[in-house]
Amino acid sequence: MATLHAALDGGVNFFDTADVYGDGRSERLLAKLKKERKEKFYIATKAGRRLRMQTTEGYNRKNLTAFVHRSLKNLKTDTIDLLQLHCPPTEVYYRPEVFGVLDDLVKAGKLRHYGVSVERIEEALKAIEFPNVQSVQIIFNIFRQRPAELLFAEAQKRKVGILARVPLASGLLSGKMSRLSKFAKDDHRNFNRHGEAFDRGETFSGIDFETGLSAVERLKKLVPSGASLAQLALRWILEFPAVTCAIPGAKRPAQLVDNIAASDLPPLAKASLKKIANIYEGQIKPLVHQHW
Ligand SMILES: NC(=O)c1ccc[n+]([C@@H]2O[C@H](COP(=O)([O-])OP(=O)(O)OC[C@H]3O[C@@H](n4cnc5c(N)ncnc54)[C@H](OP(=O)(O)O)[C@@H]3O)[C@@H](O)[C@H]2O)c1
């Protein structure tokens, strides 16, 4: 709650959550925030991961409607600002009827807008062919640059928003990690490094931890004076006009304060952008570019 309050204090007016985060607790905390504060803010949530098995058939009217009703209850609201399909199987993007269900939920006033959260660019490109998809959430950061190649232009053409998730490559791009870093048992950075539980790309953006650490050492030299590496990483994302919002996962008020200051940094120097591009091209691209 302290981090959420600090966010509003710092001018944040948009939060990304999901019905499965803390099994609804994350949504309920945002409802509590709404009660405690007067400022207007917007909430994006997600649906689909409550399915026991990720099957295309699971994304049907009955299930989606039930998930939405549960989120409405958790969020203590009549209308969800933005509902995102939560990384469904690729085939869902070839099923217009799924998007028809979402259209009906908009007509019924349950959703204001809907969008998608995807693993792969190809899924995003397919999703934005549906005219009412308003946003795409996708991993985009210094270690995951392919979305900028084609997707961003296509999204801009259709006025579709881009939410850049995992902007700090799970904290790696904060520069605080080392070979000795330890993570809690229930932390995906401990158990999903090779995709054991869900898509490998979600953890450290899918790059090998030690390779990431070595690239981070080179990035540290490019941090503008008075700024942090996390701020450099977030400012880099904001250089792309197609990006609506980066959604770093701050755990504590201090991290939040650090992260939001990135939006007040001046644009990065051209020379720094070039060096970042070189680090990506040389060290990271060969390992990840073709995967996502
Ligand atoms: N499938 C999906 O749709 C999906 C999947 C993943 C994430 N998301 C969304 O994307 C958001 C961001 O993802 P994420 O939290 O996994 O990745 P992230 O923003 O790249 O990394 C967040 C982690 O970095 C550390 N951190 C954050 N700010 C910091 C700072 N200023 N200095 C030092 N360390 C900092 C924290 O870890 P420590 O514990 O080390 O402090 C935090 O847990 C999530 O909150 C969620 O809303 C969506």
Side-chain angles (χ1 to χ4, degrees):
M1 283 312 293
T3 308
L4 292 176
H5 278 289
L8 291 184
D9 293 342
V12 169
N13 71 348
F14 174 75
F15 295 91
D16 176 72
T17 184
D19 56 355
V20 286
Y21 296 172
D23 195 22
R25 181 161 178 251
S26 173
E27 290 181 330
R28 290 193 293 273
L29 289 177
L30 285 166
K32 188 166 182 288
L33 185 70
K34 217 163 223 182
K35 212 169 150 201
E36 291 175 7
R37 298 284 293 242
K38 289 200 179 69
E39 295 92 328
K40 170 85 188 145
F41 60 86
Y42 300 90
I43 301 172
T45 191
K46 311 188 194 82
R49 290 273 144 183
R50 293 185 64 73
L51 291 170
R52 242 180 247 145
M53 294 269 289
Q54 282 298 309
T55 62
T56 305
E57 292 64 37
Y59 285 75
N60 57 39
R61 183 174 298 274
K62 184 170 165 256
N63 288 337
L64 285 171
T65 305
F67 296 154
V68 163
H69 280 123
R70 186 175 182 271
S71 286
L72 286 168
K73 208 169 152 207
N74 282 336
L75 291 165
K76 292 198 169 63
T77 184
D78 298 327
T79 310
I80 290 169
D81 296 322
L82 177 69
L83 182 87
Q84 304 155 101
L85 294 180
H86 199 167
C87 295
T90 305
E91 206 195 308
V92 164
Y93 298 107
Y94 293 83
R95 297 286 181 101
E97 62 271 26
V98 175
F99 297 86
V101 171
L102 297 174
D103 284 333
D104 289 345
L105 287 165
V106 172
K107 272 184 219 137
K110 306 289 178 194
L111 311 179
R112 200 158 284 134
H113 301 290
Y114 65 80
V116 294
S117 181
V118 301
E119 299 290 2
R120 300 173 57 81
I121 287 164
E122 290 68 21
E123 293 167 339
L125 290 170
K126 184 67 198 149
I128 63 177
E129 285 182 16
F130 294 99
N132 299 326
V133 167
Q134 306 285 352
S135 64
V136 168
Q137 183 180 136
I138 191 160
I139 299 181
F140 181 63
N141 61 46
I142 290 177
F143 290 163
R144 179 71 72 87
Q145 300 198 12
R146 195 156 76 101
E149 277 180 7
L150 172 65
L151 174 62
F152 283 4
E154 290 300 314
Q156 273 188 306
K157 231 190 269 170
R158 294 172 166 82
K159 293 196 163 62
V160 169
I162 296 281
L163 301 178
R165 82 163 177 271
V166 194
L168 299 174
S170 313
L172 193 51
L173 285 168
S174 72
K176 68 175 175 190
M177 291 176 186
S178 77
R179 284 179 182 191
L180 303 175
S181 295
K182 291 238 177 325
F183 303 98
K185 245 191 172 164
D186 62 350
D187 189 321
H188 68 105
R189 294 173 294 187
N190 186 22
F191 64 76
N192 194 53
R193 286 193 189 188
H194 306 285
E196 293 89 336
F198 44 83
D199 195 275
R200 182 169 66 88
E202 296 289 344
T203 303
F204 300 128
S205 275
I207 63 161
D208 159 66
F209 188 58
E210 302 229 337
T211 307
L213 288 177
S214 130
V216 159
E217 286 312 306
R218 293 172 67 197
L219 289 169
K220 279 182 182 170
K221 297 187 185 121
L222 306 176
V223 175
S225 80
S228 65
L229 182 60
Q231 288 168 2
L232 170 87
L234 295 171
R235 189 65 188 86
W236 179 87
I237 290 171
L238 302 180
E239 299 291 328
F240 295 81
V243 172
T244 312
C245 186
I247 49 168
K251 287 227 177 113
R252 284 171 280 285
Q255 290 182 348
L256 183 120
V257 169
D258 186 21
N259 294 343
I260 58 177
S263 50
D264 292 328
L265 285 185
L268 298 176
K270 282 221 167 71
S272 299
L273 291 173
K274 198 149 184 252
K275 283 183 187 151
I276 293 171
N278 287 342
I279 293 170
Y280 178 74
E281 290 286 328
Q283 244 181 313
I284 307 294
K285 185 175 179 179
L287 303 176
V288 296
H289 207 71
Q290 70 280 15
H291 287 305
W292 296 277

